[in-house]
Amino acid sequence: MNEFGLIQRFFAEAAASRAAAKNDSMLLLGIGDDCALITPPHGQQLAISTDTLVAGRHFPLETDAYSIGWKAVAVNLSDLAAMGATPHSILLALSLPSADEDFLHEFSRGLFAICDQYGVQLIGGDTTRSPVLSITITVLGWLPIGQAITRAGAQAGDLIMVTGTLGDAAYALRHPRSPLQHRLDRPLPRVAFGQALRGYATAMLDISDGLTQDLGHIAQASGLDACVDVACLPLHAVLQRCLDDNPNHPAVLHDALAGGDDYELCFTVPEQSVAAVLAEADRQQVQVTQIGRMLPRQSAKTQVQLRLHQQPFVLQQIGFQHFD
Ligand code: ADP
Ligand code: MG
């Protein structure tokens, strides 16, 4: 199978049939020409982001192809969720060691499954051979002009909140085939909830490299410090049980505070908006937990203070970085 046959069979046909069914007036031209063409909706601005997954680096080599396709889209949708944007479409740059048809079949199934679930269309991409499997996806979405929730808007006194439970994916990485495997392989980006936070959250991001490090980005961008109560961290029952057995379980707290791949939202909310946020969380059946508060900056350098039972809590490594 050559490059064009591969694109046609695994991506272009499936994308074209979905585009026809969706009849999206914004999408003038999808896969097949030199560029895709989109007419932006009136009064909206484009939100655009890109993320790469490299085999063995961002997912274990034994990850199934369906999950790789799913996750490559999920991590990108999570970035749109983190700004409050509405996803529209993706581009897929795929670097493959070989044209393995079984892999491509399952990979594209996973990719289109999450696209369908979130109403997103594949509108283009690039296909190359490379020694290492690598997937780069670019995601496009819309935001009402001026309503993006950036990292920079937090105010001193705002409450810090997170969706879902933290550390599940890091736990799954350490315990292959655990009941939390799906949290590592098939994250569900909080797209609808992210959009609902427009007008309420003052700052937001998605947690991909560990809560402590990522919250540090909000604090830094907003010119503040952050204080997190470690006893408030939302934990899945599996992690909570480990902690109940050993209240100072270092690995569990490390997973929750610094583990990667959560793809939950972390956001700041002024006191007067908390009730509205909790009502929306209830409506969408999204777990939301208050974990701390934004504070005026105390020194030249931003600090994320961790506290457990009023005492400072020390973390060995605050989060994931590629070039340590
Ligand atoms: P070019 O020569 O301009 O790079 P290509 O031959 O790479 O064009 O791609 C032909 C068409 O197929 C383009 O519309 C491109 O966007 C699309 N395409 C290529 N690879 C993929 C892919 N993996 N997924 C989706 N669309 C793709
Ligand atoms: Mg190309």
Side-chain angles (χ1 to χ4, degrees):
M1 198 174 28
N2 69 19
E3 178 190 329
F4 303 112
L6 183 162
I7 295 168
Q8 195 57 30
R9 172 155 162 218
F10 294 104
F11 301 108
E13 279 170 16
S17 66
R18 284 166 166 84
K22 192 160 186 200
N23 194 18
D24 173 1
S25 59
M26 285 181 256
L27 182 60
L28 304 181
L29 192 57
I31 294 175
D33 215 310
D34 295 309
C35 294
L37 294 175
I38 300 172
T39 307
H42 186 70
Q44 308 268 317
Q45 56 194 175
L46 176 64
I48 182 165
S49 180
T50 196
D51 250 324
T52 297
L53 300 189
V54 176
R57 185 94 205 144
H58 297 94
F59 53 87
L61 294 173
E62 55 277 12
T63 307
D64 64 282
Y66 184 104
S67 294
I68 297 171
W70 180 284
K71 187 167 182 172
V73 178
V75 304
N76 278 278
L77 292 179
S78 185
D79 282 321
L80 286 184
M83 301 289 278
T86 303
H88 175 263
S89 44
I90 62 167
L91 296 128
L92 166 68
L94 193 54
S95 301
L96 296 164
S98 70
D100 177 338
E101 297 191 16
D102 292 338
F103 172 86
L104 284 163
H105 179 74
E106 280 304 293
F107 173 84
S108 58
R109 250 182 15 94
L111 179 132
F112 282 111
I114 184 167
C115 284
D116 291 348
Q117 187 161 323
Y118 286 85
V120 172
Q121 304 178 75
L122 177 65
I123 60 166
D126 196 28
T127 307
T128 60
R129 188 189 283 264
S130 125
V132 183
L133 170 64
S134 155
I135 305 118
T136 297
I137 288 184
T138 301
V139 74
L140 313 178
W142 307 119
L143 268 165
I145 291 171
Q147 288 192 36
I149 308 171
T150 68
R151 301 173 176 193
Q155 303 287 320
D158 284 356
L159 302 176
I160 302 165
M161 301 186 132
V162 292
T163 59
T165 51
L166 300 179
D168 303 7
Y171 177 94
L173 194 60
R174 289 191 296 108
H175 300 88
R177 292 175 298 283
S178 81
L180 294 179
Q181 186 69 37
H182 67 286
R183 294 278 287 153
L184 177 64
D185 289 344
R186 314 242 177 121
L188 291 166
R190 303 283 189 183
V191 170
F193 195 65
Q195 288 172 55
L197 289 174
R198 294 200 307 251
Y200 298 120
T202 47
M204 178 153 67
L205 49 57
D206 65 319
I207 308 171
S208 53
D209 297 327
L211 170 71
T212 311
Q213 180 167 295
D214 286 338
L215 177 57
H217 298 319
I218 288 184
Q220 173 80 41
S222 300
L224 300 171
D225 284 351
C227 184
V228 171
D229 183 348
V230 174
C232 293
L233 296 176
L235 299 178
H236 189 280
V238 171
L239 276 81
Q240 187 61 53
R241 228 173 292 130
C242 298
L243 208 56
D244 291 344
D245 292 344
N246 173 2
N248 290 316
H249 202 301
V252 165
L253 290 178
H254 189 274
D255 286 346
L257 285 164
D261 276 358
D262 283 320
Y263 302 108
E264 295 293 348
L265 297 175
C266 175
F267 54 99
T268 57
V269 183
E271 203 101 48
Q272 70 268 20
S273 298
V274 169
V277 168
L278 294 179
E280 182 59 28
D282 199 47
R283 222 174 51 76
Q284 290 199 23
Q285 304 262 294
V286 172
Q287 181 181 345
V288 165
T289 309
Q290 179 188 326
I291 59 165
R293 213 178 257 279
M294 301 305 294
L295 305 174
R297 191 174 278 182
Q298 290 180 353
S299 62
K301 192 167 168 285
T302 288
Q303 290 181 54
V304 177
Q305 305 165 19
L306 305 176
R307 307 209 142 249
L308 181 58
H309 309 309
Q310 325 303 333
Q311 301 296 318
F313 180 85
V314 179
L315 197 60
Q316 296 312 326
Q317 197 195 351
I318 69 157
F320 181 79
Q321 290 199 21
H322 281 278
F323 300 102
D324 262 343

